[in-house]
Amino acid sequence: MDFYMKLPRNGKEFALFLGIVASISVNIIAPVISGFEVGFSLATWRQTLTILPVMLVAVVIFVLLTHMPAEKVAALLTEETDSFNAKITITILINVAMMSVLMTIVGAMIAMQTISLTPFQQFFYKWPRNFTIALLTEMLIAQPIARYVIYRRHLKK
């Protein structure tokens, strides 16, 4: 029942779900990572706001590219009898792993506003932190809010 009520059923609902998750994630993850990179300050936050639209576009593109592979891997790791929470947790973990790899590299280039080898050179130093921030944001804030919105939408129908 949770799968039916809390997850998107069609393309329009998927777009709504993706929009909510991406918007919340970008507005939390980017400022936090920027703060760790250059220090937490009002100036850092303002600078981060200027790149959020580009970051949002990148996140949406990468979600669309990684969604199906992540679903297939999650299906391999879970059983039909597993609970909704178990399946969602595994799916989020795989999605965040894939997205954090891509965004650790591309997100850094967007933030620096240049194409550089630096994100590749610093990848293994920065990726674990970025992954943790993204995983906590997705599991505790963004996805629960998006699932609640979808649930409420389904209740109205």
Side-chain angles (χ1 to χ4, degrees):
M1 184 60 116
D2 281 338
F3 288 102
Y4 185 71
M5 292 301 288
K6 294 181 179 177
L7 295 176
R9 297 180 191 163
N10 56 45
K12 185 177 178 181
E13 289 179 356
F14 178 75
L16 173 64
F17 187 86
L18 175 58
I20 293 168
V21 170
S23 297
I24 292 170
S25 297
V26 166
N27 279 287
I28 294 172
I29 296 168
V32 171
I33 290 173
S34 295
F36 280 119
E37 290 288 323
V38 296
F40 291 92
S41 70
L42 191 56
T44 301
W45 181 70
R46 270 192 241 124
Q47 178 62 30
T48 304
L49 288 180
T50 64
I51 60 150
L52 287 186
V54 178
M55 202 70 77
L56 182 62
V57 170
V59 166
V60 169
I61 289 169
F62 288 150
V63 166
L64 294 174
L65 290 174
T66 62
H67 177 69
M68 289 309 293
E71 290 287 325
K72 289 179 182 179
V73 172
L76 292 173
L77 297 175
T78 58
E79 298 291 329
E80 190 66 34
T81 56
D82 288 341
S83 70
F84 174 77
N85 288 337
K87 288 185 177 187
I88 286 297
T89 301
I90 294 295
T91 302
I92 291 171
L93 185 64
I94 294 164
N95 275 314
V96 170
M98 290 179 170
M99 289 292 298
S100 65
V101 166
L102 294 169
M103 289 305 293
T104 295
I105 295 166
V106 175
M109 289 183 194
I110 292 170
M112 293 184 302
Q113 298 177 346
T114 185
I115 295 176
S116 166
L117 289 178
T118 305
F120 293 100
Q121 295 165 337
Q122 297 176 347
F123 178 81
F124 291 106
Y125 170 72
K126 295 188 178 190
W127 177 76
R129 178 201 62 205
N130 295 353
F131 172 76
T132 303
I133 293 167
L135 183 63
L136 291 173
T137 301
E138 290 292 315
M139 289 188 83
L140 301 176
I141 302 169
Q143 294 231 2
I145 290 171
R147 283 195 304 273
Y148 179 75
V149 169
I150 294 296
Y151 175 75
R152 297 300 300 175
R153 180 179 167 87
H154 290 162
L155 281 180
K156 284 185 180 182
K157 289 183 179 181

